[in-house]
């Protein structure tokens, strides 16, 4: 039932990497191995690079109209195969089947949207100062792209990068997560079966630091797109700077949620609690710090806790499961450390706060109160099913607290006042703000952070521009 894994280089699948190295892929619900994943060695990476150079030349000269047709076909194949792909994703990543299925269908929409938008990548003509001068502003694909994606969204994150790059006319070398390779392998098969020319999309796996260092040292790679932690993002940005390569950095967040006293606390809790525990909280835009105005605090906390207690924790392939295990053992250790620090700092565990069982990386949906602003859970990205909920008194105070960290990816607010809605949207330092809404990630809108959460956007016209360079031609 699981995927047949391999490296995809120059239009061919390789079951073994050049150096013969491999690693096991583990099912986080059972801790049992699913398959062995081959690692690329330097020769494989060089072969992928040569293929991507050749692929770029071919794809750049393919019309946007024809590129769109191939991409749309790949998106349809993803829809046709979504059931098998979703099961593979659940086995390797842990999320519930419903979430995995939704992720694949949204990813197909992302590919479709970019495919269409690529046809609307226009230049312009600027009137010349002299007679007979034609001034053309052209948009051209930047070149070969190296993309690095993490384990929390094994298809959605690669889809954003593949969609933007292919629509712009670029070729790619994608290093997807070694912990969740199968679903991405299946997506790449959809592109191959849709007729994407050899070399345009290459998929490799290996030791992440070795792969990125090798690829980023090569002149032919002109653009890096990375999704992952802030530390790794800074490291890759430094490597990219050496070769003056463009970067898109989608890094971590620590998203504040502000619930004002005029909001309906039960409605707000229902909306945001479901969003909190999606993918067991392992989402960069997951709501992670809850500030609730004193007069509605008790009602919000009660409803939120009720939701957390109603979550059915289990293997994502079992019927009725609403939250799966954490994706790897590192997250279990991280959760224990956040909870221990919260308790040390006077925090109260309202529900959860511990691992469930001793096989599979299951961690209980957790609600914590009374934690100080300088505790670990309020200052570091939890990336797990922990919800610290505290009170605030005034608008200015909560804005100061929300903006006090180095993160700036997503933020949420709930209010029934139009003026408060406008004011909080303006005041929060964040790449995305959901006011009475959690719909901040769609194919047609820009997704990205500010401050240490990174730079550049994926999605929307911004996501396409990220793979384009501007050329000015003055023609006498
Ligand atoms: P990590 O920093 O070791 O890895 C994060 C991702 O980056 C992984 O997919 C990894 O394969 C990749 N990576 C690591 N070093 C790399 C390198 N030198 N070159 C290229 N890729 C590299 O952390 P982790 O334990 O996997 O995850 C923990 C933290 O990472 C989380 O707490 C969260 O902050 C962050 N994270 C963020 C996202 C996101 O969507 N922004 C996704 C996953 C993890």
């Amino acid at each position: 039932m699981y995927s047949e894994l391999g490296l995809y280089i120059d239009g061919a699948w390789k079951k073994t990497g050049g150096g013969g190295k491999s690693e096991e892929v583990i099912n986080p619900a059972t801790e049992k191995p699913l398959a062995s994943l081959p690692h690329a060695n330097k020769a494989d990476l060089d072969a992928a690079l040569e293929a991507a150079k050749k692929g770029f030349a071919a794809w750049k000269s393919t019309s946007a109209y024809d590129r769109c047709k191939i991409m749309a076909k790949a998106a349809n194949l993803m829809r046709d195969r979504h059931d098998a792909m979703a099961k593979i994703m659940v086995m390797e990543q842990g999320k519930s089947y419903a979430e995995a299925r939704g992720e694949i269908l949204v990813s197909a929409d992302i590919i479709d949207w970019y495919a269409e938008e690529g046809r609307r990548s226009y230049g312009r003509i600027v009137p010349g100062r002299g007679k007979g001068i034609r001034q053309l502003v052209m948009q051209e694909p930047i070149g070969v792209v190296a993309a690095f994606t993490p384990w929390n969204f094994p298809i959605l994150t690669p889809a954003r990068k593949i969609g933007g790059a292919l629509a712009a006319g670029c070729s790619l070398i994608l290093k997807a997560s070694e912990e969740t390779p199968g679903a991405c392998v299946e997506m790449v098969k959809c592109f191959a079966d849709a007729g994407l020319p050899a070399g345009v999309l290459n998929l490799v796996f290996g030791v992440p630091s070795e792969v990125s260092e090798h690829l980023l040292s090569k002149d032919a790679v002109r653009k890096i797109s990375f999704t992952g932690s802030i530390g790794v993002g800074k490291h890759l940005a430094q490597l990219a700077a050496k070769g003056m390569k463009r970067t898109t950095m989608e890094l971590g967040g620590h998203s504040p949620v502000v619930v004002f006293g005029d909001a309906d606390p039960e409605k707000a809790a229902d909306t945001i609690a479901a969003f909190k525990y999606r993918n067991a909280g392992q989402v960069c835009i997951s709501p992670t710090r809850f500030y609730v105005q004193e007069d509605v605090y008790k009602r919000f906390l009660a409803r939120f806790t009720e939701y957390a207690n109603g979550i059915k924790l289990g293997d994502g392939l079992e019927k009725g499961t609403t939250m799966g295990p954490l994706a790897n053992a590192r997250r279990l250790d991280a959760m224990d450390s956040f909870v221990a620090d919260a308790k040390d700092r006077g925090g109260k565990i309202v529900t959860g706060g511990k691992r469930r069982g001793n096989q599979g990386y299951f961690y209980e949906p957790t609600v914590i109160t009374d934690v100080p602003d300088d505790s670990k859970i309020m200052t570091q990205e939890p990336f797990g099913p922990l919800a610290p909920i505290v009170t605030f008194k005034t608008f200015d105070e909560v804005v100061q607290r929300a903006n006090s960290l180095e993160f700036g990816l997503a933020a949420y607010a709930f209010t029934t006042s139009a003026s408060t809605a406008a004011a909080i949207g303006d005041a929060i330092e964040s790449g995305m703000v959901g006011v009475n809404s959690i719909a901040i990630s769609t194919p047609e809108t820009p997704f990205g952070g500010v401050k240490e959460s990174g730079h550049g956007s994926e999605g929307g016209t911004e996501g396409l521009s990220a793979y384009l360079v501007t050329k000015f031609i003055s023609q006498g």
Side-chain angles (χ1 to χ4, degrees):
M1 229 167 110
Y2 188 67
S3 176
E4 212 174 309
L5 303 176
L7 310 169
Y8 187 64
I9 297 171
D10 202 11
W13 289 97
K14 276 190 86 174
K15 299 270 151 53
T16 317
K21 288 193 180 156
S22 62
E23 72 181 271
E24 277 187 339
V25 181
I26 304 292
N27 181 337
T30 61
E31 298 182 45
K32 299 228 164 76
L34 288 164
S36 171
L37 176 72
H39 277 195
N41 69 356
K42 282 186 181 163
D44 294 321
L45 297 177
D46 289 341
L49 198 59
E50 283 311 308
K53 285 200 267 187
K54 186 188 74 178
F56 177 55
W59 194 239
K60 182 186 178 184
S61 57
T62 303
S63 71
Y65 176 74
D66 287 329
R67 292 199 293 248
C68 176
K69 281 199 286 195
I70 292 174
M71 292 175 70
K73 198 166 170 193
N76 281 333
L77 288 174
M78 289 167 67
R79 293 187 184 98
D80 292 347
R81 302 175 187 177
H82 79 264
D83 180 54
M85 289 169 76
K87 285 174 180 151
I88 289 167
M89 192 193 294
V90 175
M91 283 190 262
E92 63 188 9
Q93 202 274 340
K95 65 183 63 174
S96 70
Y97 175 82
E99 285 187 26
R101 180 180 184 275
E103 178 175 340
I104 292 156
L105 296 177
V106 167
S107 301
D109 283 352
I110 288 173
I111 301 296
D112 262 342
W113 188 84
Y114 270 123
E116 283 296 330
E117 198 61 15
R119 298 172 64 186
R120 289 183 277 276
S121 171
Y122 309 124
R124 66 188 199 275
I125 297 179
V126 180
R129 290 187 172 198
K131 203 167 173 231
I133 301 280
R134 284 157 61 86
Q135 305 192 116
L136 313 177
V137 181
M138 314 282 286
Q139 298 294 329
E140 295 187 343
I142 189 165
V144 174
V145 175
F148 303 91
T149 56
W151 42 263
N152 55 340
F153 287 97
I155 286 209
L156 182 101
T157 309
R160 282 195 177 126
K161 299 183 194 309
I162 294 170
L166 294 191
C170 295
S171 63
L172 274 99
I173 303 172
L174 170 65
K175 192 206 76 61
S177 168
E178 288 71 23
E179 293 177 301
T180 58
C184 192
V185 161
E186 296 303 315
M187 175 166 63
V188 170
K189 286 180 189 164
C190 293
F191 280 92
D193 294 346
L196 192 70
V200 178
L201 172 59
N202 304 275
L203 179 66
V204 296
F205 299 100
V207 176
S209 58
E210 291 175 7
V211 176
S212 56
E213 268 165 45
H214 191 72
L215 291 179
L216 267 65
S217 71
K218 303 292 179 186
D219 289 343
V221 172
R222 295 314 319 153
K223 158 96 194 182
I224 317 301
S225 184
F226 172 73
T227 300
S229 56
I230 292 175
V232 175
K234 285 181 177 174
H235 169 66
L236 295 185
Q238 279 177 353
L239 293 181
K242 284 189 190 156
M244 201 51 79
K245 301 176 197 303
R246 277 248 302 271
T247 54
T248 295
M249 290 286 166
E250 299 286 358
L251 309 178
H254 200 339
S255 310
V257 178
V258 180
V259 182
F260 288 98
D262 59 10
D264 176 334
E266 283 81 22
K267 205 169 148 196
D270 287 345
T271 307
I272 206 74
F275 200 50
K276 164 72 235 175
Y277 295 109
R278 187 172 68 117
N279 201 8
Q282 302 163 116
V283 183
C284 54
I285 56 166
S286 180
T288 41
R289 302 179 275 150
F290 297 77
Y291 303 95
V292 185
Q293 211 156 15
E294 285 174 331
D295 29 357
V296 290
Y297 176 74
K298 275 195 179 143
R299 282 171 59 192
F300 179 86
L301 178 65
R303 187 65 162 248
F304 193 102
T305 307
E306 195 185 318
Y307 184 92
N309 286 332
I311 287 173
K312 187 163 179 292
L313 196 54
D315 187 321
L317 287 178
E318 273 165 26
K319 256 212 160 97
T321 292
T322 46
M323 193 176 104
L326 299 177
N328 53 55
R330 300 188 299 286
R331 301 300 337 128
L332 274 184
D333 295 342
M335 294 311 106
D336 283 343
S337 155
F338 279 110
V339 168
D341 176 81
K343 283 181 181 163
D344 284 352
R345 308 297 309 278
K348 292 192 188 98
I349 309 300
V350 181
T351 190
K354 58 184 186 312
R355 183 179 182 180
R356 170 94 47 95
N358 56 12
Q359 192 175 36
Y361 309 130
F362 295 98
Y363 200 90
E364 294 179 344
T366 300
V367 176
I368 307 172
T369 56
D370 300 293
V371 269
D373 280 0
D374 61 355
S375 61
K376 187 169 171 176
I377 183 72
M378 295 301 275
T379 51
Q380 295 179 26
E381 183 180 30
F383 228 65
L386 311 182
I389 306 181
V390 298
T391 59
F392 75 92
K393 286 188 168 65
T394 68
F395 181 93
D396 289 347
E397 171 212 327
V398 80
V399 166
Q400 186 277 323
R401 290 167 74 188
N403 288 343
S404 64
L405 303 184
E406 71 271 23
F407 304 97
L409 188 58
Y412 308 90
F414 292 89
T415 176
T416 48
S417 152
S419 61
T420 305
I424 192 76
D426 289 346
I428 296 269
E429 294 166 358
S430 181
M432 295 162 284
V433 186
V435 184
N436 299 321
S437 169
I438 49 164
I440 59 166
S441 172
T442 75
E444 48 277 334
T445 52
F447 181 99
V450 296
K451 297 162 83 176
E452 293 215 345
S453 291
H455 55 244
S457 299
E458 300 192 289
T461 52
E462 291 82 356
L464 184 64
S465 303
Y467 296 94
L468 294 166
V469 283
T470 302
K471 180 189 272 180
F472 170 56
I473 300 175
S474 178
Q475 196 178 309

